[in-house]
Amino acid sequence: MASNISNSVLNWYVDTEDMLRDVLQYIPYCSEHKSVWSPKLVTILHEVCGQLDSLWFYEAKKSRFVPDDRLDIANYFEYYGEWMAPKWVVFWGEEPEQIQPFKAWDGLPKASYKRDLWKKAFTPEWWQAYQNVKHNRLININMATLEYAVHAVAALFLAIIRSEDCRDGIAQLGWLSDNGTTNGNPQAWLSKDTPATKRKAIAVESKLFGYAVGWSKETIKRKSIWTGCASHRFRQWFNQYESAGDDEKT
């Protein structure tokens, strides 16, 4: 069952990421274009957020402590917020850009006692855009912006990395690279994604995003060098501040 779930999640993700890549051929991702919207972006936002909702619902319902059949973004914050909030990816747009799709969750207390107020105040903007488009596409079509679509796809990418069921599928897609210190099993280290594992130098890379395992709470300083296997663009981005002389990346 888990392998079937993994195949579905990863196949849907790849299809949606390819849709976004097609859009980027005509609308390059830069500051001038982040607020651009289109019917194609409506489809991407609706699809990727629906995928994220389905994945997290499936994972949550595996626990006997989740009796509800209706879960929303507040539930997902309570279940996954601590892990997801600090995570960032490198997005290969017109220029490489560091994106933290769940930044709105960073430092928030648990939401249970003022749930409705929390949902209104701290729902990630791209998720709120998805909700608005889902419930009234004709009126809210201009909320399906390029920036929100990119952040939503990045969010699903991170959720897939977190998912235990998806780890072997991630390896089969060729998303994983390491420096040989994981005994040929880098996917096993995805569950140990803490600063203590950063020296394993495991990169997770799709066509549009790159993720450095163990680095989400770490500052990439001027002398930080990527020592593992990765694409040329990932190593170049990670190491760029060594040559530029800047103090840090985050």
Side-chain angles (χ1 to χ4, degrees), residues 10-183:
L10 289 164
N11 287 338
W12 290 334
Y13 174 84
V14 169
D15 287 345
T16 309
E17 189 184 63
D18 284 343
M19 291 172 61
L20 180 57
R21 290 179 71 222
D22 290 341
V23 170
L24 294 169
Q25 292 182 20
Y26 302 98
I27 313 174
Y29 191 79
C30 58
S31 58
E32 293 83 359
H33 295 159
K34 288 183 178 181
S35 60
V36 171
W37 58 270
S38 78
K40 187 77 168 182
L41 292 171
V42 170
T43 301
I44 292 171
L45 188 65
H46 191 274
E47 178 67 16
V48 75
C49 290
Q51 291 174 32
L52 178 60
D53 191 13
S54 295
L55 175 60
W56 275 353
F57 182 87
Y58 165 77
E59 292 187 332
K61 291 299 290 181
K62 289 194 293 184
S63 170
R64 63 186 178 89
F65 298 106
V66 182
D68 295 338
D69 288 329
R70 293 176 63 104
L71 303 177
D72 58 22
I73 194 67
N75 296 115
Y76 298 144
F77 165 72
E78 293 183 45
Y79 303 153
Y80 312 119
E82 184 176 357
W83 193 93
M84 299 298 296
K87 303 298 182 184
W88 52 263
V89 298
V90 187
F91 171 62
W92 311 113
E94 191 72 358
E95 296 289 338
E97 182 171 329
Q98 206 168 342
I99 289 176
Q100 188 180 347
F102 294 97
K103 187 175 182 179
W105 289 355
D106 232 348
L108 291 180
K110 293 295 184 181
S112 56
Y113 72 103
K114 289 187 177 179
R115 199 167 186 277
D116 292 338
L117 178 62
W118 179 90
K119 282 177 63 178
K120 181 178 181 180
F122 297 107
T123 298
E125 290 184 354
W126 51 269
W127 185 268
Q128 187 60 59
Y130 156 64
Q131 291 293 319
N132 291 342
V133 168
K134 181 175 70 171
H135 293 298
N136 199 330
R137 180 177 298 203
L138 294 178
I139 298 298
N140 297 316
I141 188 173
N142 62 344
M143 298 193 72
T145 66
L146 184 59
E147 182 175 27
Y148 288 159
V150 167
H151 280 244
V153 178
L156 179 59
F157 178 68
L158 286 170
I160 288 171
I161 291 172
R162 181 195 170 279
S163 173
E164 182 178 355
D165 290 329
C166 292
R167 286 172 193 155
D168 287 342
I170 288 172
Q172 291 169 13
L173 277 176
W175 284 5
L176 285 170
S177 60
D178 72 291
N179 61 357
T181 62
T182 64
N183 297 319

Side-chain angles (χ1 to χ4, degrees), residues 132-243:
N132 291 342
V133 168
K134 181 175 70 171
H135 293 298
N136 199 330
R137 180 177 298 203
L138 294 178
I139 298 298
N140 297 316
I141 188 173
N142 62 344
M143 298 193 72
T145 66
L146 184 59
E147 182 175 27
Y148 288 159
V150 167
H151 280 244
V153 178
L156 179 59
F157 178 68
L158 286 170
I160 288 171
I161 291 172
R162 181 195 170 279
S163 173
E164 182 178 355
D165 290 329
C166 292
R167 286 172 193 155
D168 287 342
I170 288 172
Q172 291 169 13
L173 277 176
W175 284 5
L176 285 170
S177 60
D178 72 291
N179 61 357
T181 62
T182 64
N183 297 319
N185 189 26
Q187 61 265 40
W189 288 87
L190 296 180
S191 64
K192 304 173 182 179
D193 189 2
T194 68
T197 63
K198 68 178 184 177
R199 296 304 174 194
K200 293 292 180 182
I202 302 169
V204 187
E205 298 185 72
S206 69
K207 294 175 182 176
L208 289 180
F209 299 99
Y211 176 73
V213 175
W215 282 90
S216 64
K217 294 183 179 180
E218 295 291 288
T219 298
I220 304 176
K221 298 181 179 179
R222 178 156 51 101
K223 294 184 179 181
S224 297
I225 298 294
W226 188 258
T227 59
C229 300
S231 65
H232 174 73
R233 66 183 181 181
F234 185 88
R235 289 196 306 271
Q236 188 177 44
W237 175 82
F238 194 95
N239 299 340
Q240 67 180 305
Y241 287 82
E242 169 71 11
S243 58

